[in-house]
Amino acid sequence: DPNYDPAKDASLITYPTTGTITGFNGLTDIDKYIHIVSVDRATNVSSVKTIQVRDLVQKFRITEKYQYQDADGNFHDLQAPKTVEVNRETNYSQLAPAQADNWEIASYMVDNGSEIKQDTATINNVTDHHTVTFIYKKAIATAHLRQVIVTENDEIVLPETGYASLAQHDTMLQAKMKSSKLNTEVFSPVQLELLTGYYTYTVTPVIPEHYEYVGYLMTDTKHTTGTMVADGSLPTLDFIKKKEQWVTLYLKPSSSSPRPYSWDYQVNDFGKVQ
């Protein structure tokens, strides 16, 4: 009808075509579906349109957990979990945060997936809520030890093995190392677990018979040059920043003419003549 004027035609009514659906939770109902039909005044019913709730969500939640695994395989929190929101179809990337008390990142996993041995968690094209678990392990430090005899005495056996005790807080362990002449550069690695809140080990040499302690050289790289500390002090390994250190313990003969026995010396004790 060329004279049709919808503004004046009382038989035509414009109905709203939008509506609000309440009662859905974007976290718990994301896998549910909404089924929509439209009905006109003549009760004509349209075909059903189905929409999944996740298709309507524009931000997704990533829950980050920070845990370690005990010897029985159980996980424990190192700090409270936190959540971040990521826009739909964008990428998530997060470097594992540093933890106090000598914990270091070992791996991460997304939801219940496999462990990924990296320190940065990534999820590409986010279209779902996820849980990212950063998995930490106790930091392991390494002390490379060697014992060096600075002067030789043909009458004293040159030890092939050296021993030392390493003390951290109230923990003590015994270490074994190579013992050699001055020009030999052979270290023995010793792995040390760092206790919570403690970062140092004090090294005390076990002195063999007919020898005495001279001093030490401590470095954070594998080299044997430097100034020996010869003031009678003992080396203290500090693993706050470096998790690997090299220590040389210097000994020398304590006598130029050792006695034949090292126990219960009784010099010229022949008793009394009656």
Side-chain angles (χ1 to χ4, degrees), residues 23-241:
F24 283 96
N25 186 316
L27 289 174
T28 60
D29 298 329
I30 194 169
D31 290 324
K32 294 182 179 180
Y33 290 87
I34 302 172
H35 305 284
I36 303 172
V37 296
S38 59
V39 182
D40 63 14
R41 296 180 65 185
T43 66
N44 296 310
V45 181
S46 69
S47 59
V48 178
K49 181 176 179 59
T50 300
I51 302 174
Q52 193 173 20
V53 173
R54 76 170 58 251
D55 294 333
L56 303 176
V57 176
Q58 297 304 307
K59 288 183 178 291
F60 295 93
R61 179 175 293 183
I62 308 295
T63 300
E64 297 176 353
K65 294 182 178 180
Y66 318 94
Q67 299 183 329
Y68 71 94
Q69 192 172 20
D70 63 22
D72 297 323
N74 301 313
F75 285 91
H76 306 273
D77 289 332
L78 284 171
Q79 68 179 70
K82 76 172 187 178
T83 60
V84 296
E85 289 189 340
V86 179
N87 291 329
R88 181 184 190 85
E89 296 180 349
T90 60
N91 297 334
Y92 162 87
S93 179
Q94 179 61 52
L95 176 67
Q99 298 289 336
D101 297 330
N102 290 307
W103 291 100
E104 61 183 20
I105 186 66
S107 59
Y108 76 91
M109 63 182 180
V110 179
D111 300 325
N112 293 318
S114 301
E115 287 188 38
I116 301 172
K117 296 186 181 301
Q118 295 179 7
D119 60 3
T120 300
T122 58
I123 305 174
N124 295 325
N125 192 34
V126 176
T127 56
D128 202 350
H129 303 299
H130 293 287
T131 297
V132 173
T133 303
F134 292 103
I135 302 172
Y136 295 81
K137 65 179 180 180
K138 204 65 177 175
I140 299 295
T142 301
H144 300 270
L145 306 177
R146 71 171 184 154
Q147 178 177 282
V148 168
I149 307 302
V150 294
T151 57
E152 296 181 60
N153 186 328
D154 293 337
E155 297 183 18
I156 302 176
V157 175
L158 188 70
E160 297 181 354
T161 304
Y163 299 90
S165 61
L166 290 87
Q168 182 194 56
H169 187 44
D170 57 357
T171 299
M172 179 82 72
L173 61 88
Q174 301 299 318
K176 183 179 179 181
M177 73 195 82
K178 295 288 186 180
S179 181
S180 60
K181 301 177 183 179
L182 187 60
N183 58 352
T184 305
E185 300 180 6
V186 180
F187 288 88
S188 300
V190 179
Q191 287 196 327
L192 307 168
E193 183 176 289
L194 302 179
L195 299 178
T196 300
Y198 297 94
Y199 303 86
T200 61
Y201 275 91
T202 299
V203 182
T204 302
V206 177
I207 310 300
E209 291 183 276
H210 311 307
Y211 285 92
E212 62 184 26
Y213 176 63
V214 177
Y216 69 91
L217 174 66
M218 185 168 60
T219 62
D220 56 15
T221 57
K222 185 180 180 181
H223 63 78
T224 56
T225 59
T227 302
M228 177 178 62
V229 178
D231 58 3
S233 63
L234 298 172
T236 298
L237 302 170
D238 190 338
F239 293 112
I240 291 180
K241 295 182 179 180

